[in-house]
Amino acid sequence: MTQDNTTKWKQSLIRMIAGGVVGMAAAAAMLGLMGGGLIDAMGPSRVALAAVGLIYCLMAALVGFGLAAPRAGAQLLNVADADELREERSGMLLSVVTMGGIGIVLILLALARTPDFAAGLIPAAGAMAVLVLVIAGGVIASWRWRGRFDELNWQLALEGCLWSFTLSWVGLTIWAAADFLGFGLVLTPIDVVTALSALMLAGSFLAIGRRGMLQR
């Protein structure tokens, strides 16, 4: 049993390292395309938002790759084998669309042109329109496809939401309190969007991690 656990941890570590390498390569490519001048103009808050959006997009791309090539994907993703990817295809495809949509929206918001960011590449109205469409599409899809998920996935979703809400409440409450009490930790609207998006991911990983599903 100890040997099996060690093997599982090694496999998980290898997958994490592979994901990290892909992530760094994608981040470097994105930074190269954007250029140093644009990044300087964006400032830390917008860069952080774009980084979180890139993480969502990378996750969507990796899972999408796994669905397109199950054998290769099984070596990269945290699944038992290629058959699991084939069996869970419909649910995982929905996750790909969801994560990809969220990631694209976050990047668009980070690059949106505003009065304090004239160098923005995306019209503010366009970014807002995409945000509304993605949220509306997500609500409609979640309602229509709610019966496709089994009890375990529903339970994981609920636990993930609970963890995400708890982390968001604690983190944003402390941050906002530090801001209005004059401790110098300024909380802007864009920081709220970044924090909520990042903590939603953190809550999801906590939910599956507590059930031992980060090791396969």
Side-chain angles (χ1 to χ4, degrees):
M1 184 178 295
T2 302
Q3 185 175 0
D4 289 342
N5 288 335
T6 302
T7 301
K8 289 179 179 179
W9 274 113
K10 286 181 179 179
Q11 291 174 345
S12 298
L13 181 61
I14 291 173
R15 288 165 178 166
M16 290 174 62
I17 293 174
V21 171
V22 173
M24 288 188 292
M30 182 177 177
L31 292 175
L33 290 173
M34 293 172 61
L38 179 60
I39 294 174
D40 291 339
M42 289 173 67
S45 292
R46 287 180 180 271
V47 170
L49 181 60
V52 174
L54 180 60
I55 292 173
Y56 273 93
C57 287
L58 286 173
M59 292 175 63
L62 289 174
V63 177
F65 169 77
L67 294 178
R71 289 188 178 181
Q75 303 301 317
L76 181 63
L77 301 176
N78 191 36
V79 295
D81 51 34
D83 289 335
E84 183 177 350
L85 284 173
R86 297 186 182 98
E87 292 171 1
E88 300 292 335
R89 182 179 180 83
S90 59
M92 295 182 75
L93 185 59
L94 177 59
S95 297
V96 169
V97 174
T98 302
M99 290 187 296
I102 293 175
I104 291 172
V105 166
L106 296 181
I107 293 174
L108 290 179
L109 290 175
L111 297 176
R113 191 179 308 117
T114 59
D116 62 339
F117 182 51
L121 304 178
I122 310 297
M128 190 65 186
V130 175
L131 171 63
V132 172
L133 285 174
V134 168
I135 291 176
V139 171
I140 294 172
S142 297
W143 177 257
R144 291 190 61 183
W145 296 339
R146 65 191 185 282
R148 295 189 179 185
F149 303 101
D150 56 28
E151 184 177 349
L152 175 60
N153 284 324
W154 265 117
Q155 189 63 34
L156 284 172
L158 292 175
E159 291 178 9
C161 289
L162 176 60
W163 279 108
S164 298
F165 171 78
T166 302
L167 293 173
S168 299
W169 186 86
V170 171
L172 290 175
T173 298
I174 293 175
W175 194 349
D179 185 2
F180 73 75
L181 290 175
F183 286 97
L185 297 176
V186 179
L187 178 63
T188 65
I190 195 171
D191 294 326
V192 174
V193 177
T194 303
L196 288 174
S197 301
L199 292 175
M200 183 164 63
L201 271 182
S204 299
F205 278 104
L206 272 173
I208 63 175
R210 291 183 74 252
R211 287 178 173 264
M213 297 178 68
L214 289 178
Q215 301 178 58
R216 290 293 183 93

